Amino acid sequence: MAEGNKAARDGGGLRFKVRGPRDFYGGLALIAVGIIAIWATGDLGGSRGFAFGPGTAPRMFAILLAFMGALIAIGGLLADGPPIEKFAIKGPAYVVAAILLFACLIRGVSLEYIGVPVNIPGFGLVVSTFVAFMVSIMGSSEMRWTESLLAGIGMTVFCVLLFVYLLALPFQLWPSFL
């Protein structure tokens, strides 16, 4: 009789205890990204014999990502791990804002397609890189202005040397209105 009451309280069935929630839910997220990537590459051709098609490598990496996510999720079920902490939104929000700002500033943007008669001219690689770096670093709680300005200048010089002079990519360096 006691066993019947225990089964009724537990609801029966197969139950898993998540011992490492960060690993378990992170693994599920990796599986989801892998499945989305497999779906997104569905209309790309695969390999035929020994010749790789355009969808072979993306699908192969997506399957590998989903497999690794499954292993991590299983590890979260089997091994104790740290709990999920509060998610900090400030840093990622500043980084996303910096990426969008860089995309708008490098070549310019027109807002006429949303009904706003505003055209922002292109600011070029130098200004866009420096502004994007400074916006992204503002998301850190450890930011210091002097170090950030020097790092921003260094990153801008590095990007100009790499993309314009070493790789010879046709980037506009300075604002188009100068």
Side-chain angles (χ1 to χ4, degrees):
M1 184 80 169
E3 291 177 22
N5 289 340
K6 183 180 177 186
R9 270 186 277 133
D10 291 343
L14 187 60
R15 292 188 163 235
F16 292 102
K17 181 176 186 307
V18 177
R19 296 172 62 184
R22 190 183 299 177
D23 289 341
F24 179 71
Y25 294 113
L28 291 182
L30 291 176
I31 293 170
V33 170
I35 290 171
I36 290 170
I38 292 169
W39 173 77
T41 60
D43 57 344
L44 295 175
S47 60
R48 291 192 178 99
F50 290 106
F52 281 124
T56 303
R59 256 185 243 118
M60 182 176 61
F61 288 122
I63 291 168
L64 183 63
L65 180 67
F67 178 73
M68 293 300 295
L71 291 178
I72 292 170
I74 291 169
L77 290 174
L78 301 177
D80 290 331
I84 296 177
E85 298 171 359
K86 189 173 95 172
F87 183 71
I89 194 75
K90 179 183 172 186
Y94 272 98
V95 170
V96 169
I99 292 169
L100 294 174
L101 188 62
F102 178 83
C104 291
L105 289 179
I106 187 95
R107 300 271 187 205
V109 67
S110 174
L111 301 177
E112 292 178 3
Y113 66 92
I114 60 171
V116 180
V118 174
N119 290 321
I120 300 171
F123 280 83
L125 183 65
V126 173
V127 174
S128 301
T129 302
F130 183 76
V131 169
F133 184 86
M134 293 307 294
V135 169
S136 67
I137 199 71
M138 287 172 28
S140 171
S141 60
E142 301 171 3
M143 178 206 162
R144 289 189 237 156
W145 280 105
T146 306
E147 293 173 1
S148 299
L149 289 171
L150 291 174
I153 291 168
M155 182 59 72
T156 302
V157 169
F158 173 75
C159 287
V160 169
L161 291 175
L162 176 66
F163 295 119
V164 176
Y165 294 109
L166 290 175
L167 297 176
L169 296 175
F171 279 115
Q172 169 189 330
L173 283 179
W174 298 101
S176 58
F177 51 85
L178 290 180

